[in-house]
Amino acid sequence: MDAIISRIIDRDPDQKEFHQALHEVLASVKPVLDRNFEYRQLAVLDRITEPERVIMFRVPWMDDDGQVHVNRGFRVGMNSALGPYKGGLRFHASVNLGIIKFLAFEQVFKNSLTTLAMGGGKGGSDFDPKGKSDNEVMRFCQSFMAELYRHIGPNTDVPAGDIGVGAREIGYLFGMYKKLKNEFTGVLTGKGLGWGGSLIRPEATGYGAVYFAAEMLQTRRESIENKRCLVSGSGNVAQFTTEKILQLGGKVLTLSDSSGYIFDEQGIDQHKLAYVKQLKNIRRGRISEYAMQYPEAVHVPVDPSLGYNPLWEHGADCAFPCATQNEINGVDAVHLAKGGVQLICEGANMPTTPEAVDIFHDHTLLYAPGKAANAGGVAVSGLEMAQNSMRLSWPRKEVDDRLKQIMKSIHRTCLDAADEYGTPGNYMAGANIAGFVKVVNAMLDQGLV
Ligand code: NDP
Ligand code: 2IT
């Protein structure tokens, strides 16, 4: 196993997020490999860690002043053993191939856990949508799709949203795909409700994460009710995590963006959340404005050079990191444990560094990795694909009930796999093992391809 990791690092030394994700999964699945000679002989680790395909392309676009810019586009098809590649597109200045590969790798196991027929993929661009006009974003999306369209399709690869890609971008991307392919198909998920989208898809990642947290708390005969919660981020996942916590009687004290966070001791209620949705989704403003609107709250600017995020120092019961990778490091983890947090449920992908995960486990905190806890988003994307195939749309309650059921079953699957391999209560090991075994068995059934 060490030899495989060294080989991968030597081959692509700059892809540090991908290496981090690999280390975690490979460490968890070691006992599975130890028990299974066939897996070793058939080199499943070498195969599962190498993308089936990587597409990189130039994305030229013109801004409102007539200036041309060039960004880089990516789509990684990591594994299609269980179904068409499925996973989001991320538009953020930090995007590079290593980040897309880490996200695609995580997606393979996450999608496997949902039990729906979806392989794993991810894509995106280093385009930064911040401060761009709607027309600039539209031109960028059109140029991005002008290359991507030839590589995707409803039975090949089905992208969706992620950081920087929401309803607006999915609309522009879909329009261009439809024009170029001369087809109206469910090639993207997260579509508008009037043209093929699924009810509950916008809510699904955040709602699903809170359903998962409720299941975890129930193992200790507790619930979300009256729990003080720290939420980071203020985008899609953070907003609907907050909404579900409120519906279940919990209190949300914080939200953040890349400039800092707000702390509201009185709690972010439904009314204030409606303000945040308007601020972030329509006006595309900064979370600091919350503290101007609601003087009982404070805004704390965070300089990344500080080395930790004071958001995680506030005393609370539960933490929901919903912004981005590695937003909780070892120092933050110690602060969380000291502050009385008993549960960490990841809305974001890999928001916790390995050192921080160890600290959570040392303190026997309830800790759910993103590939299990945030799988509700892609699960409802899978339900959107099913509805598109049938040319039907299910009522809100039906989709929400299915989401709840899927999260409950992922929770059970993680605990069962963790038990089976001698790490009871370790959701990370359980998620990695259960996700891995299903994908690998499908790969072996399908021969050496
Ligand atoms: P959005 O673009 O809607 O929101 C992202 C939020 O995170 C914003 O508040 C943003 O602040 C903040 N953020 C992004 N990058 C950074 C950074 N480098 N440092 C600090 N804050 C940052 O994205 P989503 O809510 O969709 O995604 C959030 C996380 O959830 C990501 O990890 C994503 O991969 C994961 N996820 C998303 C799913 C979905 O269905 N959308 C499904 C499963 C996981 P700012 O505005 O300043 O950039
Ligand atoms: O990380 C994720 O699971 C997503 N961004 C959602 C993927 C999807 O296809 O809905």
Side-chain angles (χ1 to χ4, degrees), residues 48-280:
I48 210 165
T49 54
E50 182 68 9
E52 290 178 12
R53 63 185 206 182
V54 173
I55 296 146
M56 281 177 62
F57 49 100
R58 178 173 73 193
V59 190
W61 60 280
M62 189 179 277
D63 70 19
D64 291 343
D65 297 325
Q67 176 66 50
V68 169
H69 303 264
V70 176
N71 285 99
R72 190 170 274 184
F74 302 90
R75 187 73 186 167
V76 170
M78 188 57 86
N79 195 296
S80 61
L82 298 179
Y85 304 118
K86 181 82 196 88
L89 296 170
R90 175 177 291 190
F91 292 169
H92 192 269
S94 64
V95 163
N96 57 41
L97 185 56
I99 289 183
I100 298 298
K101 277 177 67 179
F102 120 65
L103 290 163
F105 186 68
E106 291 284 291
Q107 199 81 44
V108 172
F109 307 104
K110 183 194 303 192
N111 294 4
S112 165
L113 288 169
T114 67
T115 73
L116 303 173
M118 298 180 292
K122 201 85 183 194
S125 173
D126 57 2
F127 173 73
D128 180 4
K130 277 198 203 83
K132 306 291 190 298
S133 70
D134 285 350
N135 281 328
E136 288 172 332
V137 170
M138 180 176 74
R139 286 195 293 274
F140 176 81
C141 289
Q142 291 176 339
S143 179
F144 185 86
M145 189 53 86
E147 175 57 39
L148 187 67
Y149 84 99
R150 59 185 107 247
H151 308 290
I152 62 175
N155 296 310
T156 308
D157 185 354
V158 184
D162 192 81
I163 292 177
V165 178
R168 172 181 63 171
E169 291 74 18
I170 293 292
Y172 295 146
L173 291 163
F174 183 83
M176 193 64 178
Y177 178 89
K178 178 170 61 95
K179 185 182 176 90
L180 293 168
K181 274 279 179 79
N182 194 30
E183 278 179 4
F184 192 116
T185 50
V187 67
L188 293 162
T189 60
K191 299 185 290 298
L193 290 179
W195 45 276
S198 175
L199 286 159
I200 297 291
R201 177 62 189 90
E203 294 87 342
T205 311
Y207 280 18
V210 181
Y211 293 149
F212 198 94
E215 290 294 317
M216 293 168 83
L217 287 168
Q218 212 173 54
T219 64
R220 298 190 178 175
R221 301 197 201 302
E222 297 211 39
S223 74
I224 298 278
E225 203 176 349
N226 295 324
K227 293 281 186 297
R228 287 163 60 89
C229 302
L230 306 176
V231 176
S232 66
S234 49
N236 172 271
V237 180
Q239 290 169 18
F240 289 103
T241 294
T242 300
E243 185 162 294
K244 186 51 74 179
I245 292 171
L246 298 184
Q247 287 172 6
L248 298 183
K251 189 169 179 181
V252 176
L253 304 170
T254 59
L255 285 171
S256 70
D257 60 24
S258 49
S259 319
Y261 73 94
I262 56 103
F263 176 75
D264 186 341
E265 178 61 51
Q266 291 176 21
I268 299 162
D269 59 20
Q270 292 288 3
H271 185 76
K272 294 171 175 177
L273 178 60
Y275 168 83
V276 171
K277 287 184 184 172
Q278 216 265 345
L279 169 71
K280 294 308 275 190

